[in-house]
Amino acid sequence: MYIIESGNVAAAIGVKLARAQVIAAYPITPQTPLTEKLSEFIESGTMKAAYIPVESEHSALAVCIAASTAGARAFTATSANGLLYMHEQLHWAAGARLPIVMCVVNRGVGAPWTVWNDHQDSISQRDTGWIQIYVNDHQEIIDTTIKAFRIAQEVNIPVMVCYDGYILSHSHMPFDLPDQKLVDRFLPPYNPEDCLDPKNPTNLNSVTLPDVRMNIRGELAHGYMELRYLLQEDLRRSIQVVADVEKHYKEIFNRGEGPYLEEYRCKDASFIAVSMGSLSFQLRVAVDALRKEGIKVGVIGIRLYRPFPDKAIVKALSKADGVIVFEKAISYGYMGTLCSEIASALYKNAKTPFVHNYILGIGGRNIRTEDLVDALRNSCTKGKNTDSADTLGWIGLKI
Amino acid sequence: MREDIINIAWHGRGGQGAITAAKIVAKTSFQTGYTGVVMVPTFGTERRGAPVMTSLKISKKKIYDLSPIENPDIAVVLDHLLLNEINIVEGLKHGAILVINTPKPSNDYSYNGIRVATADITAIAREAGLPYGMVNSGIIGAFAKASSLIGIETISDVIREEFKEIRPEENARSALLTYERTIINYGDKKM
């Protein structure tokens, strides 16, 4: 059944369908309507879960860590400075290998204060060991939220589902509601083998020495480095798990795009635009306009950002003459974060396309489709000779 | 950029319910076969009483561009005084429709190449039994009359559903009365 609702409501329904058992969150714009909706579901009895109000985002994730450690399916959501305030606990959740799911409703970070959209908040959490997925529309918000719980419990790694604040969180569009029975078939209950049990007290994640050593049962136990090696290995392994989960979801619900990226008019493309989130959908309109001018251009939207699906990205881009990366975040002092990673992934290839980088939409600056067309045309026609080959191109900047 | 998309800009004041009105039109359009429907409010730091705008795009195909509408095919104005405060008319496409809630006669609004539809919804809504200032259900009736995009019967059902806890019958009546009393002026006076 199709309904027309906001992106935040799509996420909330996804969490309800996934039968999350513990929700802990602190309201922050533009995430607020998502957690309000969840508290309504729980208050009205349509969702069986504990809603734990907390005084901060740091505590919100701490509660989820405790709940997940006790074997409950836990969910939280936040934006911008709220996410930054969780930073210490983000590392902890990943290191403790807890399958928590969080929606990040993307918003620029202060200072100065902004409540509007860009990707600096979640991109800044890139190295915390969480899986990060970026989505394009409301159907993907609800479907990916459900899939995220499955991915998380398959690999014991927490997952962020990232969607654009306001542009997706507060816009309304139709999406199909997954059937509860089918969701139950797709997502079995979370029953971890090891969890916090008062009848069987144990130390969890206490000080771990630099080297391996015998534990109290006389078995050789991992040192800190082994545990962190396994986190990296399991994250790389989860690239395949993400594909398997996508395939499983598609078999049941008969929808879903490629697990790592969504390609549009790329088959014969000489130039490929790359982006994440709703911007990659807007770029499709720019691509259509340029195709009418005879420019062979396509666009890919990257869904899976961590673990970085480098092989799939190189495969999608290596045949092109040029790659143009449009980003709503910067690694300050260098360039767009995604662009530097794409350039690095392409470097291993024999033939490397030129790579241009545009920064746009920072702090909610309006992104005009006409400006996307102009920037893309400029990159496609001038190729390596444009200024942005060496420096960042800024779109919509008024300085 | 896409010819198949109908771009509708909704101008109201914070608290007037322009977003709810646009949402009702979105739902009704979807039910009547426009499978591509997006409603994207433009958020600023505005509060109650300040001008707000929301973009409603409808098409028979999926819509990928969620950026705010710059050149509307239809502009809906919930408070006629907004026309003095912000530039609503300038961006309108040639042949566009301008729907205004106003106590003034429709001849007062004459713009070159723009079809103007007016109704005194503030008064009609009171007559329909709504409290003073509840105009967002009525404006949908004016929109339906001026645009012919959606039928008044379908829209009345969606209004009753959307306002099921806040005077559903009065809101539906306000839309119907406004539909009947909306005056369309094909003026060609210079702007």
Side-chain angles (χ1 to χ4, degrees), chain A residues 2 4-5 115-116 136-137 166-168 170-174 278 281-282 284-286 289 292 366-370 373, chain B residues 1-2 19 23 26-28 30 34-41 43-45 62-68 70-71 162:
Chain A
Y2 277 85
I4 294 180
E5 263 302 343
V115 296
W116 294 275
N136 303 317
D137 64 14
Y166 287 130
I167 300 169
L168 292 177
H170 284 63
S171 61
H172 287 63
M173 62 176 80
S278 62
F281 268 8
Q282 191 178 354
R284 291 186 180 197
V285 183
K292 280 185 191 155
N366 184 26
I367 300 172
R368 300 176 68 246
T369 306
E370 287 79 1
V373 173
Chain B
M1 205 162 275
R2 256 173 62 181
I19 289 176
K23 195 174 150 186
K27 286 187 173 179
T28 316
F30 183 73
Y34 290 95
T35 51
V37 179
V38 294
M39 195 270 283
V40 192
F43 285 93
T45 49
K62 185 170 170 69
I63 292 169
Y64 291 101
D65 183 348
L66 304 182
S67 62
E70 291 182 1
N71 302 111
E162 199 65 29

Side-chain angles (χ1 to χ4, degrees), chain B:
Chain B
M1 205 162 275
R2 256 173 62 181
E3 300 292 316
D4 58 294
I5 298 175
I6 302 161
N7 291 296
I8 308 157
W10 297 75
H11 297 274
R13 294 188 183 278
Q16 262 193 316
I19 289 176
T20 304
K23 195 174 150 186
I24 289 168
V25 173
K27 286 187 173 179
T28 316
S29 309
F30 183 73
Q31 282 179 13
T32 53
Y34 290 95
T35 51
V37 179
V38 294
M39 195 270 283
V40 192
T42 299
F43 285 93
T45 49
E46 296 87 354
R47 289 295 179 266
R48 215 169 176 82
V52 292
M53 199 275 270
T54 188
S55 298
L56 174 64
K57 305 181 185 185
I58 60 179
S59 167
K60 304 249 161 129
K61 290 187 283 185
K62 185 170 170 69
I63 292 169
Y64 291 101
D65 183 348
L66 304 182
S67 62
I69 293 169
E70 291 182 1
N71 302 111
D73 298 288
I74 304 171
V76 184
V77 184
L78 277 78
D79 175 355
H80 66 108
L81 294 173
L82 286 168
L83 289 162
N84 307 330
E85 290 174 39
I86 48 171
N87 208 330
I88 292 170
V89 178
E90 196 176 87
L92 290 175
K93 281 183 191 162
H94 188 83
I97 304 170
L98 180 62
V99 183
I100 314 169
N101 166 30
T102 177
K104 295 183 194 170
S106 68
N107 289 337
D108 280 21
Y109 304 94
S110 196
Y111 309 104
N112 193 21
I114 306 291
R115 196 188 313 172
V116 179
T118 58
D120 186 359
I121 302 166
T122 309
I124 295 171
R126 294 287 287 151
E127 195 185 322
L130 290 170
Y132 181 79
M134 271 195 74
V135 296
N136 63 338
S137 48
I139 197 91
I140 301 167
F143 170 85
K145 178 77 164 283
S147 68
S148 312
L149 270 172
I150 40 177
I152 189 69
E153 293 80 16
T154 327
I155 215 148
S156 298
D157 292 343
V158 182
I159 287 173
R160 279 189 197 93
E161 174 62 26
E162 199 65 29
F163 287 97
K164 63 174 179 256
E165 278 148 25
I166 330 158
R167 305 182 180 88
E169 288 311 319
E170 289 86 341
N171 277 296
R173 196 180 311 136
S174 178
L176 180 62
L177 283 175
T178 309
Y179 180 86
E180 287 165 355
R181 296 188 201 164
T182 297
I183 293 163
I184 301 170
N185 166 12
Y186 298 83
D188 52 0
K189 238 191 323 186
K190 291 272 181 268
M191 282 166 79

Side-chain angles (χ1 to χ4, degrees), chain A residues 189-231:
Chain A
Y190 176 52
N191 289 317
E193 284 171 25
D194 289 318
C195 63
L196 204 56
D197 178 4
K199 287 179 209 136
N200 184 21
T202 182
N203 267 337
L204 292 169
N205 299 303
S206 51
V207 175
T208 304
L209 298 178
D211 212 343
V212 296
R213 64 162 185 170
M214 296 293 175
N215 66 15
I216 53 164
R217 292 185 292 273
E219 301 153 340
L220 193 63
H222 292 317
Y224 180 89
M225 194 152 142
E226 285 69 31
L227 292 168
R228 287 283 156 169
Y229 165 83
L230 289 171
L231 175 60

